[in-house]
Amino acid sequence: MNSLAEENYLKALFNLAGESGVVNVNELSRHLNIKMPTVTSMMKKLSAKNLVHYESYKPLKLTEEGEKRAAAIIRKHRLTEMFLVEKMGFGWEQVHDIAEQIEHIQSPLFFEKMDALLGYPKFDPHGSPIPDKDGKMKWKEFHKLSDCLPGEEVILGAVINNSSEFLQFLNSRDLRLGLSISILSVESFDKTMVVHYENHPAETLSHTVCERLLVDKQ
């Protein structure tokens, strides 16, 4: 059994690795807001447990067992977020901190029951894939809204940033997953976008916001 701190490191490594599968120690330190010597000490500890490939001055990489453990933590987190939204009526901007606490519960049966009650969802409330019991995830091919062109019709499928501040901003603009969005224009100078959806005939979104919204092209 890993400590809460170890689980948080494994989860961070998994989330940061992306397609390359490797993470720079400096990047991990910045992401967790933890000093480099402390991060290095933990990497040595996880390496001794065969959860991380660690060598001085080289990128970090989760071992096969490390990936499996990390995916299990992320599965618990994202299932919890979905449960809080779907079964308890929380807003998608409210669930992250609660899920951070619940993800460390060690009972597999608890999360199996949660999964069954939800109907075995593949994605969490923010559009991120939920790993299955074997650590596998169903990735979806999305485009950034910022890369789309005037005249295109898209479906909002996921958000890159799920901070409560950003999600509250989306709430204030009635932006939610599954929404159909028509792109009316893109400002050439700063890439500000004007879009149409539901009761918003001409909503202006900054480039920063558009970069954080992932869409399916129709």
Side-chain angles (χ1 to χ4, degrees), residues 70-200:
I73 300 160
I74 289 165
R75 169 179 166 77
K76 293 189 287 185
H77 182 99
R78 293 179 179 172
L79 274 175
T80 299
E81 288 192 332
M82 200 63 174
F83 189 86
L84 291 169
V85 169
E86 293 293 321
K87 300 297 184 182
M88 299 189 71
F90 282 88
W92 65 342
E93 78 282 3
Q94 298 175 306
V95 296
H96 177 76
D97 289 346
I98 302 171
E100 286 275 300
Q101 300 171 55
I102 294 175
E103 71 186 29
H104 299 292
I105 292 174
Q106 296 300 320
S107 168
L109 182 60
F110 179 84
F111 293 98
E112 286 171 21
K113 292 283 190 183
M114 186 183 288
D115 198 16
L117 282 169
L118 289 167
Y120 308 101
K122 297 290 187 291
F123 300 92
D124 75 6
H126 311 110
S128 299
I130 299 174
D132 64 19
K133 287 190 287 187
D134 300 317
K136 306 293 185 216
M137 288 193 289
K138 183 181 179 182
W139 292 100
K140 253 185 125 174
E141 191 68 36
F142 285 122
H143 303 270
K144 287 184 179 180
L145 181 59
S146 56
D147 293 333
C148 298
L149 301 171
E152 289 188 308
E153 298 255 348
V154 298
I155 301 292
L156 183 55
V159 294
I160 291 177
N161 182 305
N162 62 0
S163 70
S164 60
E165 293 82 7
F166 180 58
L167 296 174
Q168 285 167 6
F169 169 82
L170 298 183
N171 287 345
S172 73
R173 299 300 192 278
D174 300 321
L175 286 162
R176 64 183 186 280
L177 300 192
L179 194 66
S180 178
I181 300 172
S182 301
I183 300 158
L184 302 179
S185 66
V186 180
E187 173 59 52
S188 59
F189 174 67
D190 62 2
K191 305 302 181 186
T192 296
M193 191 173 279
V194 179
V195 298
H196 163 69
Y197 55 92
E198 286 191 346
N199 299 319
H200 295 254

